[in-house]
Amino acid sequence: MAWLRSFWSGLPAEGRWLLAVVAAQTLGRGLTLPFTIIYLREVRGFDLGVAGALMALVAVAGFAATVPTGRLVDRYGARGVLLGGQGAMAAGCALLAFAAGPWTAGAALTLIGLTFGAALPAFNTMIAAVADGDVRQRFFGVHFALMNLGIGAGGVAGGLFVDVEAPATFAAVYLAEAATALVAMAVLLLPLRRLRGRAGRGAAPGAGRDPAPGPREAGYRAVLRQPAARRLAAVTFIGVLAGHGQFQVGIPSFAREVAGVSTGAIGLAFAVNTVMIVVLQLPVLSAIGGRRRTRAMLVMGGAWAGAWVLLGLSALGAGDLPPGAGPGAGAAVATAGLLAFMAVFAFGETLLQPTVPAVTNDLATDHDRGRYNAVNAAAFNGGAIAAPAVAGLLLGLDLGAWYVGLMAAGCLALCGLALALERVLPPEANGVPATAAPGAR
């Protein structure tokens, strides 16, 4: 706790208000995130194909928004872009609350997706405007822990409130999410009104900024010519494809249809993931401070590969068990494997979130930071689009073992990508001072 108090006291006021924006956003998001597919299927009565296509609109719209968002952030500042994104979120959630037909729901989910496409580059740029160095890395980690805490708390509250037999309860949680977006907008308009969110132009005092206005903002081609930027984007894409992107479709489908885990156990597993992130994030941040960020990515890839092996073993509960095993042994093995997967995977997540965004912003200059963050966001959204397609294809063909093997192989590939990134990454961007780089761990 002393570490957290030191971090909090060392933040400028703008940094504390940014965390307030995170709290408002994620609490509102948690109210609806686990229940949108249920709302579309069981409340609005859309068939599975239509509901799946509507859910895909969120990722597609987010991916499409990243390129223009990066340009807008670099030209006009992140605060205005984030304001626009929160306005779109409020409108999308309010519209979804009353979406009786698929076209209205599609428009609402597209607005929500545009928000996600704008939020990642804009918010990461605003963080870079108020913190640098090790404080920046810690901010990204605290941001991730707070985000999980907010989504977890919102999910519990939403689960206790919504009822498919009472459609008005779903309308209420979507309107509540719209209200939290308005709260975030109020913080951006009032306490953060002086923070443009572009380091070097209206940034907080002491934040990293160029000594003088630099050249005209670099285009995406210039960013992608940098080997470090390309390799970092590859880390993000594979990390989402074999990691975060599997949480909505692949992991619950494998657990339910291959391992035979109960829906209650799946809900418990997601709660374990959230709790582990909240508990582990601060100690992990303390442990990786001053160390090479690429080595943290290396450990993350290994941990995730091991987690996928644990998930594969959970399927033993659906197969043959040793003679003498009790009637409930299969379910116990499957549930234990899933819970272990979620716990180990959470540890890897606490290594990913403080490192990749920090590397992205330490590679960037004040004049192309929006584009660097947009490239990383595009890689994230690309992985989010590919992940359910890969999971659906393999699990639909009853290739559960191949699915787990491919995901584990992808996580091992992350280890190789981390080492390849380390070879081209400046020491400062890798989290160690240049003078300490030769002997840094």
Side-chain angles (χ1 to χ4, degrees):
M1 294 304 294
W3 178 94
L4 185 58
R5 285 194 297 269
S6 174
F7 167 78
W8 182 259
S9 63
L11 277 182
E14 290 87 350
R16 299 174 189 176
W17 280 112
L18 277 178
L19 290 176
V21 172
V22 174
Q25 286 178 320
T26 56
L27 181 63
R29 192 66 194 138
L31 288 171
T32 66
L33 182 62
F35 311 113
T36 299
I37 189 66
I38 297 172
Y39 173 67
L40 297 176
R41 289 277 293 127
E42 299 186 38
V43 176
R44 293 304 178 186
F46 303 154
D47 65 43
L48 185 59
V50 172
L54 289 171
M55 292 293 289
L57 282 175
V58 176
V60 172
F63 182 83
T66 52
V67 171
T69 292
R71 292 197 182 101
L72 290 170
V73 167
D74 284 336
R75 184 172 294 274
Y76 301 109
R79 177 177 163 274
V81 173
L82 199 55
L83 270 170
Q86 291 304 302
M89 174 63 82
C93 291
L95 186 61
L96 192 58
F98 304 103
W103 288 103
T104 307
L109 290 167
T110 298
L111 285 170
I112 292 171
L114 292 174
T115 301
F116 293 152
L120 184 58
F123 198 85
N124 285 355
T125 300
M126 292 190 78
I127 292 174
V130 300
D132 56 10
D134 189 54
V135 175
R136 181 181 292 169
Q137 176 171 294
R138 293 185 178 198
F139 197 115
F140 281 118
V142 171
H143 166 225
F144 183 61
L146 183 60
M147 181 179 70
N148 277 274
L149 183 61
I151 289 176
V156 170
L160 293 172
F161 182 74
V162 296
D163 181 357
V164 293
E165 301 299 327
T169 60
F170 283 86
V173 293
Y174 283 109
L175 291 175
E177 184 177 7
T180 61
L182 294 178
V183 171
M185 291 179 70
V187 174
L188 291 166
L189 286 169
L190 296 172
L192 293 176
R193 63 187 181 279
R194 298 184 185 278
L195 182 65
R196 284 194 62 189
R198 176 174 175 180
R201 295 190 183 180
R209 56 170 83 200
D210 287 347
R216 181 179 180 271
E217 290 87 353
Y220 282 105
R221 187 175 300 176
V223 173
L224 292 172
R225 276 201 296 265
Q226 305 302 317
R230 295 196 302 271
R231 294 180 189 185
L232 187 62
V235 168
T236 299
F237 177 81
I238 298 298
V240 175
L241 176 61
H244 298 293
Q246 298 300 329
F247 269 58
Q248 284 193 318
V249 175
I251 293 167
S253 297
F254 181 91
R256 186 78 181 130
E257 299 176 21
V258 179
V261 175
S262 69
T263 55
I266 293 173
L268 176 61
F270 276 80
V272 165
N273 179 262
T274 297
V275 170
M276 290 297 291
I277 288 171
V278 173
V279 169
L280 291 176
Q281 186 66 84
L282 296 184
V284 167
L285 281 170
S286 181
I288 66 176
R291 299 173 185 266
R292 292 181 187 270
R293 292 164 179 164
T294 48
R295 301 301 169 87
M297 298 176 198
L298 186 69
V299 174
M300 174 203 72
W304 279 3
W308 280 107
V309 172
L310 290 171
L311 186 65
L313 292 175
S314 72
L316 291 175
D320 295 329
L321 290 173
V333 168
T335 300
L338 178 61
L339 295 178
F341 166 84
M342 284 297 200
V344 175
F345 197 91
F347 168 68
E349 289 179 274
T350 64
L351 292 165
L352 174 67
Q353 293 304 322
T355 53
V356 170
V359 171
T360 301
N361 283 279
D362 285 351
L363 278 175
T365 70
D366 291 343
H367 304 284
D368 57 14
R369 197 175 304 281
R371 287 173 171 81
Y372 268 90
N373 279 301
V375 167
N376 189 57
F380 185 98
N381 285 308
I385 293 170
V390 171
L393 175 64
L394 293 176
L395 295 176
L397 293 172
D398 294 325
L399 299 175
W402 283 94
Y403 168 68
V404 169
L406 182 62
M407 295 300 105
C411 294
L412 292 177
L414 278 175
C415 299
L417 286 170
L419 293 175
L421 174 63
E422 184 174 298
R423 291 196 292 270
V424 297
L425 199 59
E428 294 86 350
N430 206 7
V432 292
T435 55
R441 288 172 286 181

